[in-house]
Amino acid sequence: MLDHTHQEWKTRASGLDFRCQAFIDGRFVDAASGKTFDSVNPATGTVLAQVAEGDAEDINRAVASARRAFEAGHWSRMPPGDRKAVMLKLADLIRKNLAEMALLDSLDMGKLITDAVTVDAPGSAHFFQWYAEAIDKVYDEVAPTGPGDLALVRRVSLGVVGAVTPWNFPLDMATWKAAAALAAGNSVVLKPAEQSPLSALRLAELAAEAGVPDGVFNVVPGFGHIAGRALGLHMDVDCLAFTGSTAIGRKFMEYSGQSNLKQVWPETGGKSPNIVFADCDNLETAADMAAFGIFFNQGEVCSANSRLYVERAIKDDFVAMLKERADAMQPGDPLDPASKMGAIVDEKQTASIMQFVEEGKTSANLVTGGARVTVDGKGCFVQPTIFDEVTQENPLARDEIFGPVLSVIAFDTEDEAVSMANESIYGLAASVWTDNLSRACRIADNLHVGTVSVNTVDALSAQTPFGGMKQSGFGRDLSLHSFDKYTALKTIWIKYKA
Ligand code: NAD
């Protein structure tokens, strides 16, 4: 697959068969209203498919089927080794259908096929496998008590988990939620972003093929303010795992308060700083990774390193190095393996990015980029863009742009760098580049973020938790810690004759 040509990807894409209905209770069904919405390829503007537009009625059906399945126990009470075998099979099926899964995301939201087939789709298989393998290795606890008392602290499944996910990594965001929630024995109702529902629908079908029982994994496509809201307000959903913007994360907290006090785990926006010191070992690598940190996935990454703080002594040279890299990453057809950047997800997001860029041109120094472009005369594409001389107060440095736009700010001292990096409502991730170990550790201690990457960007693995502080939300995906979200602690206290 990695050696596929542009033409081969285009041929494969044109032969794809999309799943367009909601997946409820083990089968594909139309929305109760019969309504559909268009799924549009942002690289070409063409309509890929008409997808079922789920509303409260469909969410009710999906939650009812999830609850029935949970109570029936075919999944929730399945022995851990058996549940593991089903999830391992699902991981295998994702690998068998890797090209298709990658194409669905690339076509639906514009990411490079090269990234989808090397990062997103294999990542999904890996995360399902990782959680499958964890199922029969996580032990419960016995609390310290005196003789005659046995106090068990058990982790039990919650019941019905609602998941609402964004469009930037459609398959992986669905996976991060579903893999851990299913591994913990729950039933899941997933509402994918309306911009990118296709891979989640195919994932549900593959889960059924792997042996996930009917009703355990449901996918209801639809709009956020209708289907997402209905899931957030549902009285029979035990937990709502959300990834998306801070504004909508806030809404889910409100929905919970207005309904059944369901647990809500928001994983929201970011404006992650990348701090580069003059003493960093390899400035070439730092520049490569700084460019990757903001331009990968068109900058549509919650932990994108969108604020670059560079020590003043090397700032001009470093910006020149970055300009070279940005200029070499111009957008192209996402299906062309030679392209270095894909399409922005839709017209609305493109317009929003361009508004920041246009305002930035009047308040900072545009180093490179700054234009919306087309590929073959079509599509939503934005050049990789760098602004220098950005002030902390500038929206370029303050707001989450969620596009390929980097803001550069010079600093003189370590304290100044840390204090500027912390000056944000967000606290998702940060990077530091230095060869001074004590400095790296000191800064890692002092940054108010969920992940600090030292001499790299965006360190992420199945083994380590991912999530934020402050208004980046407090949910954690990945690692065994994500079981904290999808299980409840139950104490069982037994008296016996000692
Ligand atoms: P969004 O908040 O607009 O949408 C996310 C999801 O919420 C979608 O499924 C959408 O349909 C739904 N939604 C929208 N309005 C709703 C409403 N009123 N009620 C209920 N549900 C609603 O975010 P987006 O534009 O899809 O994604 C971009 C955002 O996601 C960025 O802010 C990014 O930082 C964030 N993100 C965070 C992480 C993380 O792990 N912290 C990861 C990826 C993306």
Side-chain angles (χ1 to χ4, degrees):
M1 246 166 309
L2 286 180
D3 53 7
H4 272 19
T5 61
H6 188 191
Q7 190 50 51
E8 279 165 332
W9 280 119
K10 287 209 284 195
T11 307
R12 262 185 183 259
S14 61
L16 272 186
D17 192 12
F18 302 114
R19 309 304 185 263
C20 305
Q21 293 168 293
F23 193 80
I24 299 176
D25 208 14
R27 56 201 58 83
F28 282 111
V29 291
D30 288 334
S33 66
K35 283 195 198 165
T36 59
F37 65 97
D38 289 345
S39 181
V40 177
N41 179 347
T44 60
T46 52
V47 175
L48 292 164
Q50 256 111 30
V51 178
E53 186 190 319
D55 62 16
E57 177 66 33
D58 304 286
I59 291 290
N60 285 341
R61 285 196 290 167
V63 173
S65 102
R67 176 62 63 192
R68 262 195 320 275
F70 185 76
E71 297 300 339
H74 304 309
W75 182 255
S76 54
R77 289 197 286 276
M78 188 183 266
D82 296 354
R83 216 189 293 147
K84 166 173 136 180
V86 173
M87 286 185 58
L88 286 176
K89 187 158 178 217
L90 174 54
D92 278 347
L93 284 171
I94 295 166
R95 289 193 185 99
K96 273 198 190 117
N97 294 280
L98 207 67
E100 179 188 358
M101 299 309 274
L103 273 171
L104 291 176
D105 276 358
S106 176
L107 294 172
D108 224 4
M109 55 67 69
K111 70 170 62 216
L112 292 178
I113 187 63
T114 313
D115 291 340
V117 84
T118 56
V119 180
D120 299 63
S124 171
H126 175 66
F127 295 129
F128 271 107
Q129 175 165 347
W130 197 88
Y131 279 105
E133 287 169 346
I135 293 175
D136 57 359
K137 295 172 193 67
V138 181
Y139 291 77
D140 289 341
E141 298 167 9
V142 177
T145 55
D149 288 299
L150 175 62
L152 308 176
V153 182
R154 299 205 52 200
R155 266 185 188 283
V156 296
S157 329
L158 286 175
V160 178
V161 171
V164 177
T165 51
W167 45 259
N168 57 342
F169 293 94
L171 178 61
D172 279 5
M173 290 298 108
T175 297
W176 286 15
K177 310 293 183 206
L182 292 173
N186 299 287
S187 298
V188 172
V189 178
L190 168 69
K191 207 296 284 171
E194 50 270 41
Q195 296 86 345
S196 57
L198 299 176
S199 59
L201 291 168
R202 181 72 175 119
L203 179 66
E205 189 180 33
L206 291 180
E209 190 182 332
V212 172
D214 292 353
V216 171
F217 185 26
N218 307 275
V219 177
V220 182
F223 293 104
H225 63 285
I226 300 171
R229 179 173 181 274
L231 196 56
L233 283 169
H234 205 288
M235 293 300 286
D236 202 27
V237 169
D238 299 290
C239 163
L240 196 298
F242 171 74
T243 294
S245 60
T246 296
I248 304 300
R250 199 168 269 130
K251 277 195 188 294
F252 276 100
M253 306 282 288
E254 290 169 14
Y255 296 153
S256 170
Q258 289 160 14
S259 57
N260 62 342
L261 227 55
K262 61 179 67 62
Q263 295 184 34
V264 176
W265 298 103
E267 292 168 60
T268 52
K271 188 76 191 174
S272 299
N274 183 11
I275 307 173
V276 180
F277 285 90
D279 68 5
C280 125
D281 176 42
N282 188 334
L283 280 177
E284 292 289 336
T285 308
D288 287 345
M289 295 303 280
F292 172 83
I294 181 62
F295 300 134
F296 172 65
N297 210 45
Q298 303 75 243
E300 296 164 323
V301 178
C302 53
S303 49
N305 294 101
S306 50
R307 291 184 286 154
L308 178 67
Y309 295 98
V310 192
E311 195 164 351
R312 197 174 303 279
I314 58 162
K315 199 263 289 171
D316 288 344
D317 289 346
F318 198 73
V319 169
M321 290 160 78
L322 275 173
K323 177 179 174 345
E324 249 175 56
R325 284 153 176 83
D327 292 347
M329 291 178 81
Q330 296 308 311
D333 180 351
L335 294 186
D336 185 348
S339 297
K340 300 289 183 233
M341 192 185 282
I344 303 299
V345 66
D346 60 14
E347 282 292 340
K348 189 167 160 233
Q349 183 64 12
T350 310
S352 157
I353 296 169
M354 288 312 298
Q355 194 174 341
F356 279 106
V357 170
E358 293 307 331
E359 282 170 19
K361 287 177 185 171
T362 66
S363 55
N365 174 21
L366 178 67
V367 175
T368 191
R372 178 179 176 165
V373 292
T374 57
V375 170
D376 300 329
K378 295 178 286 214
C380 302
F381 296 89
V382 174
Q383 292 178 327
T385 299
I386 301 175
F387 285 101
D388 194 1
E389 313 290 340
V390 180
T391 61
Q392 281 287 96
E393 298 69 40
N394 193 317
L396 287 175
R398 238 185 23 228
D399 297 344
E400 184 181 46
I401 300 174
F402 223 57
V405 183
L406 179 67
S407 300
V408 183
I409 298 174
F411 70 83
D412 294 300
T413 67
E414 181 183 317
D415 282 353
E416 191 195 3
V418 171
S419 115
M420 288 198 292
N422 277 334
E423 207 181 303
S424 171
I425 61 163
Y426 298 111
L428 190 51
S431 291
V432 184
W433 293 81
T434 173
D435 224 23
N436 178 334
L437 181 64
S438 297
R439 168 181 273 167
C441 292
R442 220 168 28 238
I443 293 181
D445 284 348
N446 291 328
L447 288 172
H448 305 310
V449 299
T451 299
V452 179
S453 303
V454 177
N455 294 335
T456 185
V457 296
D458 236 345
L460 182 145
S461 76
Q463 305 93 289
T464 45
F466 181 89
M469 295 183 182
K470 302 196 272 186
Q471 291 184 43
S472 292
F474 46 81
R476 290 290 180 275
D477 274 323
L478 305 180
S479 84
L480 295 181
H481 290 286
S482 109
F483 285 140
D484 297 345
K485 298 196 295 195
Y486 301 124
T487 57
L489 293 177
K490 179 186 270 188
T491 300
I492 301 175
W493 194 297
I494 302 164
K495 285 280 189 195
Y496 65 95
K497 293 176 188 127

